[in-house]
Every structure is written in structure tokens, then in C-alpha cells.
Amino acid sequence: MSTGRTYYLTTPIYYVNDKPHIGHAYTTLACDVLARFKRLDGYEVMFLTGTDEHGQKVEKAAAAAGEAPKAFCDRVSQSFRDLAQAMDVSNNDFIRTTEPRHIAACQAIWRRMVASGDIYLGAYEGWYAVRDEAYYGEDELEKRADGKFYAPSGAPVEWVREPSYFFRLSAWGDRLLKFYDDHPDFIAPQSRRNEVVSFVKRGLNDLSISRTSFKWGVLVPDDDAHIMYVWLDALTNYISALGFPDEGGKYAKYWPADLHMVGKDIVRFHTVYWPAFLLAAGLAPPKRVYAHGWWTIEGQKMSKSLGNAIDPHSLIATYGLDQFRYFMVREVPFGNDGDFAKQALVNRINSELANGFGNLGLRTLSFIGKNCDGRVPEPGPLEADDRTLLAAAESVLGRMRPALDEQQFHVAIQAWVDVVNAANKYIDEQAPWTLRKTNTDRMKTVLWVLAETIRHLAITAQPFVPGAAGKLLDQLGVSEAARGFSALGDGGALKAGTALPAPQGVFPRFVDATAA
Ligand code: MSP
């Protein structure tokens, strides 16, 4: 079902210094929802994720684990791949920055920035935070009681002095400001855009883009005393996965990216450095960078020292994959920070998935199973209430699409929940269990309207809860080919007489077995 429209979206590539936690799961899941939505909406989607494996932070983590850097990266990178698989993530590629295709792309973009006159050799002297892999000016730092300096992120900084290549970032301020002006949707949400614009307006310093004091990175072309700054290396992943420096093929098809999804901590790298590197290399910047908020855990910052990071695998095992996926993108207005509390997860899945959608499906399909010979019933003339519910079901996509184009997942889901609620209200008001005794023709119409509404809800729920939505579509006898958004509306309507398999619940109520 190709429309010739393409959509390229990316997650950040994850540092392999740490094992995956729900913060990483969050970015990836949000992207997976969008990727699935766009595919169902007729786009050819390229969805990229991967791992960021170079730099001092990873080198130190490997040393601490007593492993050679490459062996360490192989192992931890695999755990990010495994998580994507466990979350049923539909990425089209998985890039590792230690792959030859990536190294070739980094060296090619470097050479282009040299050719444009944007790189020069000098010496860096200043502060560096390994945890953030970022340089800081003295004015940004805080001196604490221990006499040491810390970055605004809380990361300790160290003094670095070494020969370094620089990128002439100072020359790019005005061009970046013009680019932001010309592309008002480039940075979202608006609050992040304002932050970036005022940062650039304060004036930019040239950026140190190579290091000589350690070895774990991509060699600078023609000067192998230097390795590239890990952020220049990392950002380039977005084009190395498209086959750059070959500018045909996937690059021609998908670049510039439609969306880089990132956390709020890495906005500056994506909206200042990355477009400047690309423009210097004569390449187009991405169309949009969306910065989401951060999760705390039961009110506390997630941190290694507190040991409170949550392993997504354990949540999936306890609550179910669809339930976990749904909660992550439903609970917090996207863009805001949010708190991960188990009770909120249980409340959300019990109210909206078990009592809401799951119950609607099970009640309706069981009733059809018992009273319509297990076949889609034949509807009679529609009444006003029937038409109102069907119109609401048909309008869901039109409400979801603009919300998701602005990455407002919670708004898109609310549109869907509104119809689930309307359908549950309809079934109570129409009371098919009473009609069974008084007016079986009308009962059949009501059940057909409900089944048709559930078909719409299940098709539009696929990006969020692919497993359960798929099972419901199986139970409605909807073929794989009729599950795209083009099947919504009258054209794909359920055919009376179609035999249906035995219904099964898709969203059991969560009962805490450990609660007293
Ligand atoms: N390697 C860089 C990204 C390079 S992209 C060219 C990096 N990696 S990371 O593993 O530290 O973080 C990856 C993503 O996870 C970031 O978008 C970050 O915001 C996100 N999160 C990490 N902890 C998080 C929370 N507690 N909550 C939400 N997202 C969080 O940065």
C-alpha cells in the first residue's frame, strides 16, 4: 500500500556504558508508535535505532568491567537489541558506531567540513564532563563543598588540555538563527525552541571536535594522533545508516529525516551542533527534533547510586507488553517530565484497557458468539444513536493524525479513549441482553454497530498495543490485508455472516498477587 510518501525517524543511539532502563525504553517506544502509525497510514517508513559505542565514557565502563572495549560494546549493544525485540519494536535497522559503514560516513563528513574551511587545528584547554561527553564554560559550572566543579547536569568535570581540531561553530550563529526562523517546527516543544534560540543568541564558541588523550573512537582522516569527538561521531549515525557518503539510494530516499526523537538533555547537540555540521558539509539538516521529558521513579531521580533504575523486561513480565507500551506513552503529556509509579500503571491499565477497551471487546464478541451463531450479525436500518457512535469511531483517525504529527501521544490516545467510553455507554443504553428477548432484529443492529466500532478502535490502537489489537482483529475476522487505515470507514465494513473465532479477553484486570 505504498503512496510514495516516506517518513524517516530515529531514536538517539544509546550509550553502552549502562544497561537499558525505562528512560531508554521510553524514547524507543514513542518512536515505534509513530513508525507503526505512519506505516498504517500508507508511508514507507525508515525507523532507526542503535548504540553509541565510542568515547571516554564507554572506554572507562569497559575498563571497569575488565573487558576489552569492543567485546564490552558487543555485549551491551546486544542488550539494547534484545530490549527492542522484547518490546516488539519495528525498527528497520540497528546501527552501531563501531561498524565500518559508520566509520566511513564519519570520515567522509569530516573531510567535507575540512573542504569547506570549517575545521582548523588548535589546542583545547578547558572543562570536560565525561558523563555528558560535553565541554563546559567555567561560567556554567558550580563549585561544591568538596571543592570540585560540576556541570549543570550534575556531572563532575575535569580539566583537559590537549591538541585539538576545532569546528568553526562561532561562525554559524546567525545562519542557525535564520534556519530556526525559516523552520518554525524544527525544534519542539516550543519551550525547548526558546531555550535553544536564546543559547545561540548569546554567541557560540568554536567547538573542540577531536581528542588525543585516549584511543577509543573514529580516527581523524590524515591525522591518526586524533580521534573524533564522540558527539560528531554519534550524530553522524543518522546518515551512515542511509549509506552516506553514497548520496543515492536510501540517502536520497529518506534524508532529511522527518524526526529525531531525543530526550531534553541532548537537545543542544541535535539542534545546534548537528545542523551546523550538516550545513558546513553541504548537507540538509533534519526537519524536526522533538525533545521529550524525563521520568523519575516513584518521585525520585533515576540514578546508578540510588540503584532505582527499572528494568523494562521485569515490567513486561509483570504487567504485559501492551500494557507497558500503553502506559509509557499515555500517562504523561508528551514533552513534560513524568513520574513512574506502579499504582499509576495499574490504575491506567485497569481503567482504560481492562474495564474500558478489553471489556467492550469481550462483552460484545461473547454476546455475538452466543446469540448470533458466532457470525457477524446482519444489521437493519440504523438509528440516530447508531450513526452517532459510528461517526465517532470513524473520526478517531482524523483526531489522532494531527496529534501524532506534533508528537502529542496523550492527545491521540485520549481521542481513542473517548470512543471506547462512548461505545461502553452505548452498549449499556441499548442493552442488547434485553433486546434479545424483545427485538432480535434490533439486537443484531446494535451488535453490528458495536463490532464495527471495535474494528475501528482495534485498527487505530495497533500502533500503541499491537499484540492485543491484532488479537481483536483476528476475533473480528479482519484479514491482515484489511488492517491499514485505508480500511477504516464504510469500505472495509464487517460483512454479515462472516464466521468468527471463539472470543477471548485481551486485557485481563491486573490484580496484585503480592498485595495483602
Ligand atoms: N549516546 C547519546 C545520544 C547520542 S544520539 C546521536 C545519549 N545516550 S543515553 O543512552 O545516555 O541516552 C539516550 C536517551 O535516553 C536520551 O534521549 C535520554 O534523554 C534518554 N533517557 C535517559 N534517561 C532518561 C529518563 N530517566 N527519562 C527519560 N528519558 C531518559 O545521550
Side-chain angles (χ1 to χ4, degrees), residues 11-18 21-28 50-53 57 80 97 131-133 230-231 233-238 261-266 269-270 292-297 301-303 328 337-338:
T11 73
I13 48 172
Y14 301 105
Y15 283 131
V16 291
N17 67 306
D18 202 0
H21 56 60
I22 61 162
H24 308 121
Y26 186 47
T27 323
T28 304
T51 43
D52 189 353
E53 306 186 9
K57 163 158 151 160
F80 280 94
T97 56
R131 203 172 88 190
D132 300 345
E133 296 284 19
V230 64
W231 269 102
D233 163 345
L235 288 161
T236 303
N237 91 87
Y238 300 131
M261 181 72 82
V262 302
K264 64 179 183 179
D265 52 322
I266 55 175
F269 301 98
H270 284 83
H292 65 65
W294 268 47
W295 287 92
T296 50
I297 305 294
K301 205 175 162 197
M302 224 190 302
S303 83
M328 291 304 277
D337 290 337

Side-chain angles (χ1 to χ4, degrees), residues 270-477:
H270 284 83
T271 59
V272 181
Y273 300 172
W274 182 225
F277 294 156
L278 287 164
L279 290 167
L283 303 170
K287 292 183 200 157
R288 184 170 169 92
V289 176
Y290 191 99
H292 65 65
W294 268 47
W295 287 92
T296 50
I297 305 294
E298 310 279 349
Q300 279 187 308
K301 205 175 162 197
M302 224 190 302
S303 83
K304 266 195 179 167
S305 48
L306 289 173
N308 62 347
I310 297 188
D311 175 5
H313 294 282
S314 75
L315 291 176
I316 294 168
T318 308
Y319 300 99
L321 174 59
D322 284 323
Q323 288 85 341
F324 171 58
R325 289 176 60 107
Y326 183 83
F327 176 76
M328 291 304 277
V329 293
R330 164 62 167 159
E331 186 66 9
V332 178
F334 205 69
N336 295 2
D337 290 337
D339 186 49
F340 190 96
K342 292 209 168 135
Q343 195 53 51
L345 171 74
V346 170
N347 293 347
R348 193 60 89 174
I349 65 187
N350 279 348
S351 65
E352 289 174 4
L353 295 182
N355 295 349
F357 187 49
N359 200 24
L360 172 69
L362 191 60
R363 293 210 272 180
T364 304
L365 289 168
S366 307
F367 205 85
I368 292 177
K370 288 195 193 110
N371 299 292
C372 306
D373 201 18
R375 290 176 187 277
V376 173
E378 175 83 47
L382 297 184
E383 296 182 3
D385 286 349
D386 309 338
R387 278 193 289 269
T388 304
L389 182 62
L390 288 172
E394 285 174 22
S395 73
V396 169
L397 178 64
R399 290 176 63 196
M400 280 186 161
R401 194 188 275 127
L404 288 180
D405 277 336
E406 299 194 343
Q407 292 76 47
Q408 296 298 284
F409 297 89
H410 59 291
V411 175
I413 297 185
Q414 187 60 55
W416 178 85
V417 168
D418 288 346
V419 179
V420 171
N421 292 340
N424 271 322
K425 188 158 168 274
Y426 172 91
I427 194 170
D428 288 340
E429 285 169 359
Q430 300 293 330
W433 41 88
T434 306
L435 294 171
R436 182 167 60 104
K437 295 172 209 145
T438 57
N439 185 346
T440 52
D441 282 346
R442 178 66 195 148
M443 174 196 80
K444 287 180 189 163
T445 305
V446 166
L447 292 173
W448 183 85
V449 169
L450 282 164
E452 202 30 30
T453 302
I454 295 167
R455 183 179 75 89
H456 280 79
L457 289 170
I459 287 177
T460 50
Q462 292 175 99
F464 303 94
V465 290
K471 279 188 200 149
L472 261 177
L473 290 167
D474 291 343
Q475 295 179 35
L476 285 168

